[in-house]
Amino acid sequence: MTTHAAVPLRHGLLSISAAAVAWGAGGAVAALLMGAAGLGPVAVCAWRFAVAAGCLVLLPARAAAGPRRSAVLTGLGLAVSQCAYFGAVRCAGLGLGTLVTIGAGPVLTSLGAHLLLGERLTGRAVAANLLAVGGLVLLVAGPAGGPRPVLGMALAVLAGAGQSGLTLWARAGGTARASAGAFATGLLCLLPLALAVEGGVLPSTGAPLPTAGALLFLGTVPTLLAYRWYFAGLATVPGATAAVLVLLEPATAAVLGVACFGEPLTPALPAGSALLLAAIAALTRRR
């Protein structure tokens, strides 16, 4: 018999799962934009936040508003993590960049909770971190689908650190929300960087209509909707469980990378992924 408590939990699990799949698809669309439209990773992120903020501005003020401090901190965290993630995709390939980002996030969160929040680091957590490191070593050892895998790995770890920062802040009592203010903050951070480093934010190649459609999709589904699904799901789903569900993102990205971008599928990728999955399972297993 289904209890009333199980219903919101089930909705939360579905929300986080949907967000993870959307993020994996968003990485594929971002890789397409960086290749076909000539956009840099910072410009792609700026467009992503601009579309999401614009959509929220059109909503009633009650839905778009949020605490100013929360909006600023969330926007900064999203700007760092998403910009680094798209840079990792460009340098290391879609599948590998996503796998390392997601694999690094839970490990950094576990260590950060111990060092910054005083949470006890158990033997199980240490074993899980070692498994995750082994998985990351396998992923790095395998051939990447991008031109600069070492830089891509560093950017992927930075992306995981940014996401972990948001999680740790929420654990410490913060209120992360996918609000118009958060996306506007991210946009204000990234726009000057895109202009200075990448020379602009306008597409230089590709057909205008497909490019506009891809930017619209990237700003709505993997950004606006996915982050709303994720933060809503965290209201009922424990963070450790959410970390397992987010593994749907690299699975989605890896399948799309092999199927759509011709990225290599070597034994190192499934082996490294299996170790990462074992690490997350060890962290989330009930005592």
mmCIF file of all heavy atoms in Angstrom, residues 95-138:
data_model
loop_
_atom_site.group_PDB
_atom_site.id
_atom_site.type_symbol
_atom_site.label_atom_id
_atom_site.label_comp_id
_atom_site.label_asym_id
_atom_site.label_seq_id
_atom_site.Cartn_x
_atom_site.Cartn_y
_atom_site.Cartn_z
ATOM 1 N N GLY A 95 31.404 12.300 -23.596
ATOM 2 C CA GLY A 95 31.264 11.219 -22.629
ATOM 3 C C GLY A 95 32.247 11.328 -21.484
ATOM 4 O O GLY A 95 31.872 11.265 -20.310
ATOM 5 N N LEU A 96 33.538 11.505 -21.802
ATOM 6 C CA LEU A 96 34.574 11.545 -20.775
ATOM 7 C C LEU A 96 34.449 12.786 -19.892
ATOM 8 O O LEU A 96 34.595 12.717 -18.666
ATOM 9 C CB LEU A 96 35.947 11.494 -21.436
ATOM 10 C CG LEU A 96 37.148 11.296 -20.510
ATOM 11 C CD1 LEU A 96 36.986 10.047 -19.664
ATOM 12 C CD2 LEU A 96 38.436 11.223 -21.323
ATOM 13 N N GLY A 97 34.177 13.952 -20.511
ATOM 14 C CA GLY A 97 34.030 15.173 -19.726
ATOM 15 C C GLY A 97 32.888 15.077 -18.731
ATOM 16 O O GLY A 97 33.004 15.502 -17.580
ATOM 17 N N THR A 98 31.768 14.470 -19.159
ATOM 18 C CA THR A 98 30.623 14.338 -18.269
ATOM 19 C C THR A 98 30.890 13.326 -17.174
ATOM 20 O O THR A 98 30.540 13.532 -16.006
ATOM 21 C CB THR A 98 29.378 13.928 -19.067
ATOM 22 O OG1 THR A 98 29.168 14.876 -20.117
ATOM 23 C CG2 THR A 98 28.149 13.889 -18.185
ATOM 24 N N LEU A 99 31.497 12.199 -17.514
ATOM 25 C CA LEU A 99 31.760 11.155 -16.533
ATOM 26 C C LEU A 99 32.671 11.653 -15.412
ATOM 27 O O LEU A 99 32.428 11.393 -14.226
ATOM 28 C CB LEU A 99 32.388 9.940 -17.214
ATOM 29 C CG LEU A 99 31.441 9.064 -18.043
ATOM 30 C CD1 LEU A 99 32.234 8.107 -18.924
ATOM 31 C CD2 LEU A 99 30.503 8.295 -17.147
ATOM 32 N N VAL A 100 33.726 12.363 -15.757
ATOM 33 C CA VAL A 100 34.652 12.847 -14.732
ATOM 34 C C VAL A 100 33.985 13.927 -13.878
ATOM 35 O O VAL A 100 34.172 13.975 -12.657
ATOM 36 C CB VAL A 100 35.942 13.373 -15.379
ATOM 37 C CG1 VAL A 100 36.852 14.005 -14.327
ATOM 38 C CG2 VAL A 100 36.674 12.243 -16.075
ATOM 39 N N THR A 101 33.182 14.800 -14.502
ATOM 40 C CA THR A 101 32.477 15.831 -13.739
ATOM 41 C C THR A 101 31.564 15.213 -12.695
ATOM 42 O O THR A 101 31.597 15.579 -11.511
ATOM 43 C CB THR A 101 31.649 16.714 -14.692
ATOM 44 O OG1 THR A 101 32.527 17.380 -15.602
ATOM 45 C CG2 THR A 101 30.861 17.756 -13.900
ATOM 46 N N ILE A 102 30.749 14.263 -13.115
ATOM 47 C CA ILE A 102 29.799 13.640 -12.193
ATOM 48 C C ILE A 102 30.533 12.767 -11.177
ATOM 49 O O ILE A 102 30.134 12.676 -10.011
ATOM 50 C CB ILE A 102 28.774 12.804 -12.973
ATOM 51 C CG1 ILE A 102 27.988 13.717 -13.915
ATOM 52 C CG2 ILE A 102 27.812 12.101 -12.035
ATOM 53 C CD1 ILE A 102 27.258 14.836 -13.224
ATOM 54 N N GLY A 103 31.611 12.108 -11.602
ATOM 55 C CA GLY A 103 32.355 11.265 -10.671
ATOM 56 C C GLY A 103 33.067 12.063 -9.597
ATOM 57 O O GLY A 103 33.165 11.635 -8.440
ATOM 58 N N ALA A 104 33.566 13.253 -9.958
ATOM 59 C CA ALA A 104 34.290 14.066 -8.984
ATOM 60 C C ALA A 104 33.358 14.727 -7.980
ATOM 61 O O ALA A 104 33.724 14.921 -6.820
ATOM 62 C CB ALA A 104 35.114 15.132 -9.710
ATOM 63 N N GLY A 105 32.144 15.061 -8.408
ATOM 64 C CA GLY A 105 31.221 15.796 -7.553
ATOM 65 C C GLY A 105 30.934 15.138 -6.210
ATOM 66 O O GLY A 105 31.130 15.755 -5.159
ATOM 67 N N PRO A 106 30.460 13.880 -6.184
ATOM 68 C CA PRO A 106 30.161 13.253 -4.887
ATOM 69 C C PRO A 106 31.375 13.092 -3.988
ATOM 70 O O PRO A 106 31.275 13.211 -2.765
ATOM 71 C CB PRO A 106 29.586 11.883 -5.293
ATOM 72 C CG PRO A 106 29.079 12.077 -6.675
ATOM 73 C CD PRO A 106 30.013 13.050 -7.311
ATOM 74 N N VAL A 107 32.542 12.817 -4.569
ATOM 75 C CA VAL A 107 33.758 12.681 -3.764
ATOM 76 C C VAL A 107 34.104 14.012 -3.109
ATOM 77 O O VAL A 107 34.400 14.085 -1.910
ATOM 78 C CB VAL A 107 34.928 12.180 -4.636
ATOM 79 C CG1 VAL A 107 36.215 12.133 -3.826
ATOM 80 C CG2 VAL A 107 34.616 10.804 -5.209
ATOM 81 N N LEU A 108 34.053 15.092 -3.886
ATOM 82 C CA LEU A 108 34.361 16.410 -3.338
ATOM 83 C C LEU A 108 33.326 16.830 -2.293
ATOM 84 O O LEU A 108 33.664 17.465 -1.289
ATOM 85 C CB LEU A 108 34.410 17.440 -4.472
ATOM 86 C CG LEU A 108 35.554 17.253 -5.474
ATOM 87 C CD1 LEU A 108 35.405 18.222 -6.634
ATOM 88 C CD2 LEU A 108 36.907 17.432 -4.802
ATOM 89 N N THR A 109 32.073 16.461 -2.530
ATOM 90 C CA THR A 109 31.032 16.779 -1.551
ATOM 91 C C THR A 109 31.279 16.054 -0.239
ATOM 92 O O THR A 109 31.137 16.624 0.855
ATOM 93 C CB THR A 109 29.650 16.406 -2.104
ATOM 94 O OG1 THR A 109 29.406 17.145 -3.307
ATOM 95 C CG2 THR A 109 28.551 16.720 -1.094
ATOM 96 N N SER A 110 31.641 14.772 -0.317
ATOM 97 C CA SER A 110 31.907 13.991 0.890
ATOM 98 C C SER A 110 33.074 14.574 1.677
ATOM 99 O O SER A 110 32.997 14.758 2.899
ATOM 100 C CB SER A 110 32.195 12.536 0.511
ATOM 101 O OG SER A 110 32.534 11.773 1.639
ATOM 102 N N LEU A 111 34.163 14.895 0.988
ATOM 103 C CA LEU A 111 35.325 15.471 1.672
ATOM 104 C C LEU A 111 35.024 16.867 2.211
ATOM 105 O O LEU A 111 35.448 17.228 3.313
ATOM 106 C CB LEU A 111 36.510 15.518 0.701
ATOM 107 C CG LEU A 111 37.064 14.164 0.242
ATOM 108 C CD1 LEU A 111 38.163 14.365 -0.787
ATOM 109 C CD2 LEU A 111 37.588 13.365 1.428
ATOM 110 N N GLY A 112 34.292 17.667 1.423
ATOM 111 C CA GLY A 112 33.946 19.009 1.872
ATOM 112 C C GLY A 112 33.049 19.003 3.093
ATOM 113 O O GLY A 112 33.202 19.831 4.001
ATOM 114 N N ALA A 113 32.106 18.061 3.134
ATOM 115 C CA ALA A 113 31.228 17.961 4.296
ATOM 116 C C ALA A 113 32.018 17.616 5.557
ATOM 117 O O ALA A 113 31.709 18.087 6.657
ATOM 118 C CB ALA A 113 30.147 16.909 4.049
ATOM 119 N N HIS A 114 33.066 16.811 5.392
ATOM 120 C CA HIS A 114 33.895 16.446 6.544
ATOM 121 C C HIS A 114 34.757 17.615 6.998
ATOM 122 O O HIS A 114 34.841 17.930 8.199
ATOM 123 C CB HIS A 114 34.776 15.255 6.174
ATOM 124 C CG HIS A 114 35.804 14.925 7.207
ATOM 125 N ND1 HIS A 114 35.481 14.455 8.463
ATOM 126 C CD2 HIS A 114 37.172 14.994 7.171
ATOM 127 C CE1 HIS A 114 36.585 14.255 9.161
ATOM 128 N NE2 HIS A 114 37.622 14.582 8.394
ATOM 129 N N LEU A 115 35.398 18.300 6.045
ATOM 130 C CA LEU A 115 36.341 19.356 6.392
ATOM 131 C C LEU A 115 35.658 20.663 6.781
ATOM 132 O O LEU A 115 36.133 21.381 7.662
ATOM 133 C CB LEU A 115 37.290 19.602 5.213
ATOM 134 C CG LEU A 115 38.201 18.427 4.825
ATOM 135 C CD1 LEU A 115 38.984 18.769 3.569
ATOM 136 C CD2 LEU A 115 39.142 18.078 5.974
ATOM 137 N N LEU A 116 34.541 20.984 6.128
ATOM 138 C CA LEU A 116 33.910 22.283 6.329
ATOM 139 C C LEU A 116 32.708 22.244 7.263
ATOM 140 O O LEU A 116 32.439 23.216 7.969
ATOM 141 C CB LEU A 116 33.475 22.865 4.974
ATOM 142 C CG LEU A 116 34.594 23.067 3.940
ATOM 143 C CD1 LEU A 116 34.019 23.568 2.632
ATOM 144 C CD2 LEU A 116 35.657 24.011 4.470
ATOM 145 N N LEU A 117 31.979 21.126 7.241
ATOM 146 C CA LEU A 117 30.755 21.047 8.042
ATOM 147 C C LEU A 117 30.891 20.137 9.254
ATOM 148 O O LEU A 117 29.948 19.992 10.034
ATOM 149 C CB LEU A 117 29.581 20.566 7.175
ATOM 150 C CG LEU A 117 29.290 21.398 5.915
ATOM 151 C CD1 LEU A 117 28.098 20.818 5.170
ATOM 152 C CD2 LEU A 117 29.033 22.850 6.284
ATOM 153 N N GLY A 118 32.063 19.494 9.399
ATOM 154 C CA GLY A 118 32.282 18.654 10.568
ATOM 155 C C GLY A 118 31.602 17.306 10.521
ATOM 156 O O GLY A 118 31.496 16.628 11.553
ATOM 157 N N GLU A 119 31.140 16.870 9.336
ATOM 158 C CA GLU A 119 30.511 15.555 9.236
ATOM 159 C C GLU A 119 31.590 14.471 9.312
ATOM 160 O O GLU A 119 32.670 14.612 8.748
ATOM 161 C CB GLU A 119 29.724 15.429 7.927
ATOM 162 C CG GLU A 119 28.551 16.385 7.839
ATOM 163 C CD GLU A 119 27.749 16.198 6.571
ATOM 164 O OE1 GLU A 119 28.035 15.238 5.821
ATOM 165 O OE2 GLU A 119 26.819 16.995 6.328
ATOM 166 N N ARG A 120 31.258 13.378 10.004
ATOM 167 C CA ARG A 120 32.242 12.310 10.208
ATOM 168 C C ARG A 120 32.511 11.559 8.906
ATOM 169 O O ARG A 120 31.597 11.158 8.203
ATOM 170 C CB ARG A 120 31.734 11.331 11.276
ATOM 171 C CG ARG A 120 32.800 10.362 11.754
ATOM 172 C CD ARG A 120 32.355 9.691 13.030
ATOM 173 N NE ARG A 120 31.167 8.868 12.824
ATOM 174 C CZ ARG A 120 31.224 7.552 12.550
ATOM 175 N NH1 ARG A 120 32.399 6.942 12.472
ATOM 176 N NH2 ARG A 120 30.122 6.859 12.385
ATOM 177 N N LEU A 121 33.783 11.386 8.592
ATOM 178 C CA LEU A 121 34.186 10.647 7.396
ATOM 179 C C LEU A 121 34.437 9.199 7.807
ATOM 180 O O LEU A 121 35.461 8.869 8.401
ATOM 181 C CB LEU A 121 35.452 11.266 6.796
ATOM 182 C CG LEU A 121 35.868 10.770 5.409
ATOM 183 C CD1 LEU A 121 34.780 11.057 4.394
ATOM 184 C CD2 LEU A 121 37.170 11.439 4.977
ATOM 185 N N THR A 122 33.488 8.331 7.494
ATOM 186 C CA THR A 122 33.558 6.942 7.927
ATOM 187 C C THR A 122 34.503 6.134 7.044
ATOM 188 O O THR A 122 34.940 6.583 5.973
ATOM 189 C CB THR A 122 32.168 6.314 7.881
ATOM 190 O OG1 THR A 122 31.704 6.291 6.518
ATOM 191 C CG2 THR A 122 31.178 7.107 8.731
ATOM 192 N N GLY A 123 34.810 4.908 7.510
ATOM 193 C CA GLY A 123 35.625 4.013 6.698
ATOM 194 C C GLY A 123 34.983 3.689 5.369
ATOM 195 O O GLY A 123 35.662 3.539 4.349
ATOM 196 N N ARG A 124 33.658 3.587 5.376
ATOM 197 C CA ARG A 124 32.947 3.338 4.122
ATOM 198 C C ARG A 124 33.136 4.492 3.150
ATOM 199 O O ARG A 124 33.316 4.297 1.943
ATOM 200 C CB ARG A 124 31.462 3.120 4.406
ATOM 201 C CG ARG A 124 30.621 2.924 3.151
ATOM 202 C CD ARG A 124 29.147 2.731 3.503
ATOM 203 N NE ARG A 124 28.978 1.523 4.281
ATOM 204 C CZ ARG A 124 27.886 1.251 4.987
ATOM 205 N NH1 ARG A 124 26.905 2.128 5.036
ATOM 206 N NH2 ARG A 124 27.781 0.129 5.653
ATOM 207 N N ALA A 125 33.094 5.729 3.673
ATOM 208 C CA ALA A 125 33.281 6.885 2.812
ATOM 209 C C ALA A 125 34.692 6.924 2.235
ATOM 210 O O ALA A 125 34.899 7.266 1.067
ATOM 211 C CB ALA A 125 32.988 8.166 3.585
ATOM 212 N N VAL A 126 35.692 6.577 3.056
ATOM 213 C CA VAL A 126 37.075 6.542 2.562
ATOM 214 C C VAL A 126 37.217 5.503 1.457
ATOM 215 O O VAL A 126 37.836 5.758 0.412
ATOM 216 C CB VAL A 126 38.040 6.249 3.726
ATOM 217 C CG1 VAL A 126 39.451 6.031 3.199
ATOM 218 C CG2 VAL A 126 38.025 7.384 4.741
ATOM 219 N N ALA A 127 36.631 4.308 1.673
ATOM 220 C CA ALA A 127 36.689 3.266 0.650
ATOM 221 C C ALA A 127 36.002 3.717 -0.631
ATOM 222 O O ALA A 127 36.481 3.454 -1.744
ATOM 223 C CB ALA A 127 36.056 1.982 1.181
ATOM 224 N N ALA A 128 34.875 4.409 -0.485
ATOM 225 C CA ALA A 128 34.162 4.892 -1.656
ATOM 226 C C ALA A 128 34.985 5.917 -2.420
ATOM 227 O O ALA A 128 35.029 5.913 -3.655
ATOM 228 C CB ALA A 128 32.829 5.504 -1.231
ATOM 229 N N ASN A 129 35.672 6.805 -1.694
ATOM 230 C CA ASN A 129 36.519 7.788 -2.366
ATOM 231 C C ASN A 129 37.662 7.130 -3.123
ATOM 232 O O ASN A 129 38.018 7.545 -4.233
ATOM 233 C CB ASN A 129 37.078 8.778 -1.335
ATOM 234 C CG ASN A 129 36.005 9.703 -0.804
ATOM 235 O OD1 ASN A 129 35.049 9.999 -1.488
ATOM 236 N ND2 ASN A 129 36.169 10.145 0.432
ATOM 237 N N LEU A 130 38.236 6.064 -2.535
ATOM 238 C CA LEU A 130 39.305 5.349 -3.226
ATOM 239 C C LEU A 130 38.788 4.679 -4.494
ATOM 240 O O LEU A 130 39.473 4.661 -5.536
ATOM 241 C CB LEU A 130 39.923 4.309 -2.287
ATOM 242 C CG LEU A 130 40.710 4.883 -1.095
ATOM 243 C CD1 LEU A 130 41.200 3.751 -0.194
ATOM 244 C CD2 LEU A 130 41.892 5.720 -1.578
ATOM 245 N N LEU A 131 37.592 4.100 -4.423
ATOM 246 C CA LEU A 131 36.991 3.508 -5.616
ATOM 247 C C LEU A 131 36.783 4.562 -6.698
ATOM 248 O O LEU A 131 37.048 4.322 -7.884
ATOM 249 C CB LEU A 131 35.654 2.853 -5.265
ATOM 250 C CG LEU A 131 35.685 1.475 -4.607
ATOM 251 C CD1 LEU A 131 34.270 1.062 -4.220
ATOM 252 C CD2 LEU A 131 36.296 0.443 -5.547
ATOM 253 N N ALA A 132 36.295 5.726 -6.280
ATOM 254 C CA ALA A 132 36.049 6.791 -7.252
ATOM 255 C C ALA A 132 37.349 7.265 -7.898
ATOM 256 O O ALA A 132 37.397 7.516 -9.105
ATOM 257 C CB ALA A 132 35.343 7.957 -6.571
ATOM 258 N N VAL A 133 38.406 7.382 -7.102
ATOM 259 C CA VAL A 133 39.696 7.780 -7.665
ATOM 260 C C VAL A 133 40.176 6.742 -8.683
ATOM 261 O O VAL A 133 40.683 7.082 -9.754
ATOM 262 C CB VAL A 133 40.740 7.962 -6.544
ATOM 263 C CG1 VAL A 133 42.127 8.125 -7.125
ATOM 264 C CG2 VAL A 133 40.380 9.177 -5.687
ATOM 265 N N GLY A 134 39.993 5.453 -8.348
ATOM 266 C CA GLY A 134 40.354 4.412 -9.308
ATOM 267 C C GLY A 134 39.552 4.522 -10.588
ATOM 268 O O GLY A 134 40.089 4.337 -11.695
ATOM 269 N N GLY A 135 38.261 4.824 -10.465
ATOM 270 C CA GLY A 135 37.443 5.006 -11.658
ATOM 271 C C GLY A 135 37.896 6.178 -12.495
ATOM 272 O O GLY A 135 37.957 6.103 -13.721
ATOM 273 N N LEU A 136 38.254 7.287 -11.830
ATOM 274 C CA LEU A 136 38.740 8.454 -12.565
ATOM 275 C C LEU A 136 40.056 8.158 -13.275
ATOM 276 O O LEU A 136 40.287 8.618 -14.397
ATOM 277 C CB LEU A 136 38.917 9.634 -11.603
ATOM 278 C CG LEU A 136 37.637 10.209 -11.001
ATOM 279 C CD1 LEU A 136 37.965 11.298 -9.994
ATOM 280 C CD2 LEU A 136 36.729 10.754 -12.079
ATOM 281 N N VAL A 137 40.930 7.366 -12.631
ATOM 282 C CA VAL A 137 42.201 6.997 -13.267
ATOM 283 C C VAL A 137 41.945 6.202 -14.544
ATOM 284 O O VAL A 137 42.578 6.427 -15.584
ATOM 285 C CB VAL A 137 43.078 6.188 -12.289
ATOM 286 C CG1 VAL A 137 44.262 5.575 -13.013
ATOM 287 C CG2 VAL A 137 43.566 7.088 -11.157
ATOM 288 N N LEU A 138 40.991 5.264 -14.488
ATOM 289 C CA LEU A 138 40.655 4.490 -15.678
ATOM 290 C C LEU A 138 40.094 5.377 -16.783
ATOM 291 O O LEU A 138 40.413 5.202 -17.965
ATOM 292 C CB LEU A 138 39.642 3.395 -15.332
ATOM 293 C CG LEU A 138 40.190 2.151 -14.630
ATOM 294 C CD1 LEU A 138 39.049 1.201 -14.287
ATOM 295 C CD2 LEU A 138 41.217 1.448 -15.508
#
